[in-house]
Amino acid sequence: MHADKAVVIGLNAAIVTVSDDQPKILVVPHEETDGASGWDALPFGPFNPVRHRTLEIGLRSWVQEQTQLELGYVEQLYTFGDRGRHSLETDAPGEHVVSVGYLALTRGYDETLKGAAWCDWYRYFPWEDWREGKPPIIDQAIVPLLREWAGRQSEAPPEELARGKRRDRMRLCFGVDDVAWDDEKALERYELLYSAGLLLEAARDGRPNARGLTGKHAPNLGRPMQFDHRRILATAMSRLRAKIKYRPVAFELMPPSFTLYELQKTVEALLGLHVHKQNFRRLVENAGLVERTGRMSTRTGGRPAEQFRFRREVLNERPAPGLKLAPSRSRANS
Amino acid sequence: MHADKAVVIGLNAAIVTVSDDQPKILVVPHEETDGASGWDALPFGPFNPVRHRTLEIGLRSWVQEQTQLELGYVEQLYTFGDRGRHSLETDAPGEHVVSVGYLALTRGYDETLKGAAWCDWYRYFPWEDWREGKPPIIDQAIVPLLREWAGRQSEAPPEELARGKRRDRMRLCFGVDDVAWDDEKALERYELLYSAGLLLEAARDGRPNARGLTGKHAPNLGRPMQFDHRRILATAMSRLRAKIKYRPVAFELMPPSFTLYELQKTVEALLGLHVHKQNFRRLVENAGLVERTGRMSTRTGGRPAEQFRFRREVLNERPAPGLKLAPSRSRANS
DNA sequence: TTATATATGCTCACAATGAGTATATTTAGG
DNA sequence: CCTAAATATACTCATTGTGAGCATATATAA
């Protein structure tokens, strides 16, 4: 009776760290399945309800076993009923997997991890890194392809309306016309590109692309991942970029002692944006998020910076704030 | 091999509407299980991965079947590996249920629903409604009980530290001392009360309460629910209260045409707070969220108000904003 | 010594926000 | 008809938060 309802729960973790001013994600280079040979995967483990009382306990357990990494902050992202969206063929027949995505932060230890490796997350999302200005891939590839897609015949009857909606989606997601870039829309952008058939995952799942072509003619925007793993990663990015602004999660990625500029660099790496330096300091200090250690940084290159540490007490004072920052338009004061 | 990993997915929906200025939740009065006789439950349905491609489709499907309600906005909340927290005894032996909680909004049709009924959500959370000022239950019952709990012997070794943390949690959650009340902390408050053993669910799960008593001696704060359903509802409240401030979801609960004051009343009902009327109008109008219909409200009692409708176009203009509002301290201008 | 690079302090204009006052338009009741 | 009460709506004002830039301090390299 329950046979067709029984499923296996898979836990996927987007484990994030920042080192050398780059946000990195732990990936398993390429998995057994041949259908997606060479495509990276997020670390994955099944949930065993007998052994682990909660999903998070189960997650921490196998991550610990497999990677020896100690996770700091852990947050549930989303539960998907269909792993690879429309292509369930890769599952074992008769077995249904529901996957629960998690975001986890860890301080970057560059240990060698058996089977897994740290990879710059912008390799999967080259359009998300605006620290050096607008990524050329947007104007060179993405926007033209999306325009084509938006102008295409739609399946649904209200022809003009559908086109207009597609155009609006593009404008809002990629900051065309005078719309501002919103770093938190990473997931929406991924989904838009997927809908438009511009990602290899979409081709894999049999969606027509912008030129109405399927399969190998799909454009290749960013590195693909197995199943819906790139989507999970996009969810993680969106969530983390949002969260950093109202909760002090950035400190989970910092060493015990750091300079304000190092903190800023970490935040910028995650947001993929530049931040106004003086205002960033003002914000961090006024919010009472840090306290001076007295020690100075011995780095070379200019006046030494003071080292700070995270003020854990903020968590008990006000409802601990985050780093509400705005991108700095000019690159002058970087 | 997979036998111990196989689980059944349960979908729980917190279906919310607002009518007569009261936020209401659809509940199933009392379920079959006798262990929790008389405790309300959220509508529940199993997920069948063969019949439905995604979790949300599955959810919409059985809600439609069972209630004939048409859901507008639907959002996934959280996935729990343990339904009743520590008490899994109520599950059928050998069957594990992972439940996925959903928030759904619907315009309040007061149809008679077979087996289900609309219930004011503040009956489950009497401390969350501050529209008539601070609810007396807080100072009369909650804070004293929490103080007792905070002062209690802790199990963990660092005695003083644990007490301090409990006191801080209480302060931040319930706005003791000079901490401001935060309407979005509904979930944190529920979890705090649960931890402190002040809810019947906690007693059911065998947690000691503030006086170190278990079972029937537990205080009764708000109406309890089956399994972890009240927790899911608290999650829904927190999420909705947060979301309303940056996404135009409130309109999902409004009729096609409404006055600004009706909109305000709906928002206030959800937030459990009073809002400054003039500033509310300014906000809603400046954000371009509404447009005039020209028609006037024929209600009695004073100058007629103009009817507005939701401006769907905002969704395509800017990244559609919500109703960023602050509680008004004085009740003067309500 | 000077150029350069970074850190840090400070100012200023402007927008957003909280709160209040003033006025308009209705009904209820004499 | 007049007035009080109730509600709707317009406008003002002080305060705060935020974006941006200038100025100064302290290091290293040539």
Side-chain angles (χ1 to χ4, degrees):
Chain A
M1 181 186 174
H2 279 129
D4 60 335
K5 291 180 188 169
V7 299
V8 172
I9 304 276
L11 301 173
N12 284 103
I15 304 174
V16 176
T17 194
V18 176
S19 71
D20 302 323
D21 298 338
Q22 292 301 326
K24 290 174 185 162
I25 178 87
L26 195 68
V27 295
V28 182
H30 61 91
E31 282 284 308
E32 71 289 350
T33 320
D34 200 58
S37 60
W39 288 12
D40 300 338
L42 291 180
F44 168 89
F47 171 62
N48 185 329
V50 176
R51 289 184 47 203
H52 302 291
R53 196 169 49 78
T54 70
L55 296 172
E56 188 177 319
I57 291 172
L59 178 93
R60 285 182 182 273
S61 160
W62 66 254
V63 168
Q64 175 67 41
E65 272 175 33
Q66 287 183 24
T67 68
Q68 273 82 31
L69 275 177
E70 56 168 293
L71 302 182
Y73 181 80
V74 169
E75 173 179 338
Q76 190 185 101
L77 291 173
Y78 203 81
T79 302
F80 301 95
D82 54 339
R83 293 175 76 171
R85 302 263 207 151
H86 307 284
S87 71
L88 286 163
E89 299 80 16
T90 40
D91 287 344
E95 178 178 276
H96 285 275
V97 177
V98 168
S99 62
V100 185
Y102 275 85
L103 162 66
L105 304 183
T106 187
R107 271 169 258 272
Y109 298 111
D110 263 2
E111 308 166 26
T112 326
L113 303 152
K114 49 177 179 186
W118 291 112
C119 184
D120 182 346
W121 81 13
Y122 291 119
R123 293 190 61 184
Y124 304 98
F125 303 97
W127 55 87
E128 292 288 345
D129 188 0
W130 285 57
R131 285 175 295 174
E132 305 299 318
K134 184 188 240 191
I137 195 176
I138 293 182
D139 286 331
Q140 285 170 16
I142 294 176
V143 170
L145 286 164
L146 284 177
R147 277 196 202 285
E148 208 175 331
W149 167 74
R152 239 178 74 209
Q153 294 275 350
S154 75
E155 313 81 26
E159 180 66 38
E160 267 315 308
L161 213 146
R163 288 191 201 168
K165 281 196 176 170
R166 287 197 293 233
R167 220 182 306 275
D168 283 333
R169 252 179 104 189
M170 174 186 79
R171 281 177 43 242
L172 291 177
C173 278
F174 286 94
V176 184
D177 303 340
D178 53 350
V179 182
W181 175 261
D182 182 352
D183 59 283
E184 294 179 24
K185 291 211 192 313
L187 176 59
E188 283 174 68
R189 283 185 284 268
Y190 176 80
E191 295 195 321
L192 176 58
L193 294 175
Y194 182 93
S195 308
L198 300 179
L199 305 176
L200 285 180
E201 285 93 334
R204 173 202 64 191
D205 300 343
R207 292 188 70 103
N209 72 12
R211 300 197 180 83
L213 304 171
T214 51
K216 300 192 194 286
H217 300 85
N220 182 359
L221 299 176
R223 234 172 125 92
M225 285 183 131
Q226 282 214 339
F227 300 122
D228 58 348
H229 290 192
R230 191 149 56 140
R231 186 184 201 277
I232 295 175
L233 180 51
T235 311
M237 287 177 65
S238 275
R239 199 72 144 256
L240 184 51
R241 284 177 169 184
K243 197 121 199 174
I244 214 175
K245 287 160 199 155
Y246 62 96
R247 281 298 131 92
V249 286
F251 301 98
E252 299 280 345
L253 298 165
M254 303 300 297
S257 175
F258 48 84
T259 70
L260 293 187
Y261 194 49
E262 286 163 358
L263 178 64
Q264 181 183 340
K265 283 295 194 183
T266 297
V267 169
E268 288 180 336
L270 297 172
L271 299 186
L273 288 175
H274 266 292
V275 160
H276 188 283
K277 189 168 172 173
Q278 295 93 319
N279 291 347
F280 180 80
R281 310 183 108 260
R282 176 176 63 186
L283 182 76
V284 173
E285 294 191 294
N286 289 352
L289 286 165
V290 296
E291 62 190 357
R292 301 170 183 280
T293 64
R295 277 170 303 167
M296 297 302 251
S297 163
T298 60
R299 292 192 326 92
T300 168
R303 173 172 167 179
E306 185 163 1
Q307 304 245 343
F308 289 77
R309 76 168 71 88
F310 177 46
R311 268 190 73 239
R312 299 222 159 267
E313 306 89 276
V314 274
L315 297 168
N316 311 327
E317 292 167 5
R318 76 208 80 186
L323 302 166
K324 278 216 175 166
L325 15 80
S328 92
R329 231 152 290 288
S330 70
R331 299 228 33 230
N333 240 313
S334 78
Chain B
M1 181 187 175
H2 279 129
D4 60 335
K5 290 179 186 168
V7 299
V8 172
I9 303 275
L11 302 173
N12 283 103
I15 304 175
V16 176
T17 195
V18 176
S19 72
D20 302 323
D21 299 338
Q22 291 301 325
K24 292 177 182 158
I25 177 86
L26 194 69
V27 295
V28 182
H30 61 92
E31 283 284 308
E32 72 287 353
T33 320
D34 199 57
S37 59
W39 288 13
D40 299 338
L42 292 180
F44 168 89
F47 171 62
N48 185 329
V50 176
R51 289 183 47 202
H52 301 292
R53 195 168 50 75
T54 70
L55 296 172
E56 189 177 316
I57 292 172
L59 178 92
R60 286 182 182 271
S61 160
W62 66 253
V63 169
Q64 175 69 42
E65 273 175 33
Q66 287 184 22
T67 69
Q68 273 80 34
L69 274 177
E70 56 168 293
L71 302 182
Y73 181 80
V74 168
E75 172 179 340
Q76 192 184 101
L77 291 173
Y78 203 82
T79 301
F80 301 95
D82 54 340
R83 292 175 78 172
R85 301 263 205 151
H86 307 285
S87 71
L88 286 163
E89 299 80 16
T90 40
D91 287 343
E95 178 178 278
H96 285 274
V97 177
V98 168
S99 63
V100 185
Y102 276 85
L103 163 66
L105 304 183
T106 187
R107 272 170 258 272
Y109 299 111
D110 263 1
E111 308 164 27
T112 326
L113 303 151
K114 49 178 179 187
W118 292 111
C119 184
D120 182 345
W121 80 13
Y122 292 119
R123 293 189 62 184
Y124 304 98
F125 304 96
W127 55 88
E128 293 288 345
D129 188 0
W130 285 57
R131 285 175 295 173
E132 306 299 320
K134 184 189 244 193
I137 197 177
I138 292 183
D139 286 332
Q140 285 170 17
I142 295 176
V143 170
L145 286 163
L146 283 177
R147 278 195 203 285
E148 207 174 334
W149 168 73
R152 241 178 71 209
Q153 294 275 350
S154 76
E155 313 80 27
E159 180 67 38
E160 264 315 309
L161 213 144
R163 287 191 203 168
K165 280 196 175 167
R166 287 196 292 231
R167 219 182 306 273
D168 283 333
R169 254 179 103 190
M170 175 186 78
R171 282 178 43 242
L172 292 177
C173 277
F174 285 94
V176 184
D177 302 340
D178 52 350
V179 181
W181 175 261
D182 182 353
D183 59 282
E184 294 180 24
K185 291 213 193 311
L187 176 58
E188 283 173 69
R189 283 185 285 268
Y190 176 80
E191 295 194 322
L192 176 57
L193 293 176
Y194 182 94
S195 309
L198 300 179
L199 305 176
L200 285 180
E201 286 93 333
R204 173 202 65 192
D205 300 344
R207 294 187 69 104
N209 73 10
R211 299 201 179 81
L213 304 172
T214 51
K216 302 192 193 284
H217 299 86
N220 183 0
L221 300 175
R223 233 171 125 93
M225 286 182 128
Q226 282 212 338
F227 299 124
D228 57 349
H229 289 192
R230 192 149 55 141
R231 186 183 201 276
I232 295 176
L233 180 52
T235 311
M237 287 178 64
S238 275
R239 199 74 143 253
L240 184 51
R241 285 178 168 183
K243 197 122 199 173
I244 213 175
K245 287 160 200 157
Y246 62 96
R247 281 298 131 91
V249 286
F251 301 97
E252 300 280 346
L253 299 166
M254 303 301 295
S257 175
F258 48 84
T259 70
L260 294 186
Y261 193 50
E262 286 164 359
L263 178 63
Q264 180 183 339
K265 283 295 195 182
T266 298
V267 169
E268 288 180 337
L270 298 172
L271 300 185
L273 287 175
H274 265 292
V275 160
H276 187 281
K277 188 169 174 176
Q278 296 93 319
N279 290 347
F280 181 80
R281 310 183 109 260
R282 176 175 66 185
L283 182 76
V284 172
E285 294 191 292
N286 288 353
L289 285 166
V290 296
E291 60 191 357
R292 301 172 183 279
T293 64
R295 277 170 303 168
M296 297 304 251
S297 164
T298 60
R299 291 192 327 91
T300 169
R303 173 174 169 179
E306 185 163 1
Q307 303 245 344
F308 290 76
R309 77 169 70 89
F310 177 47
R311 267 191 74 239
R312 298 222 159 268
E313 308 89 274
V314 273
L315 297 169
N316 311 326
E317 293 166 4
R318 78 209 77 188
L323 303 167
K324 278 216 175 167
L325 15 81
S328 91
R329 230 153 291 287
S330 70
R331 299 228 35 230
N333 242 314
S334 76

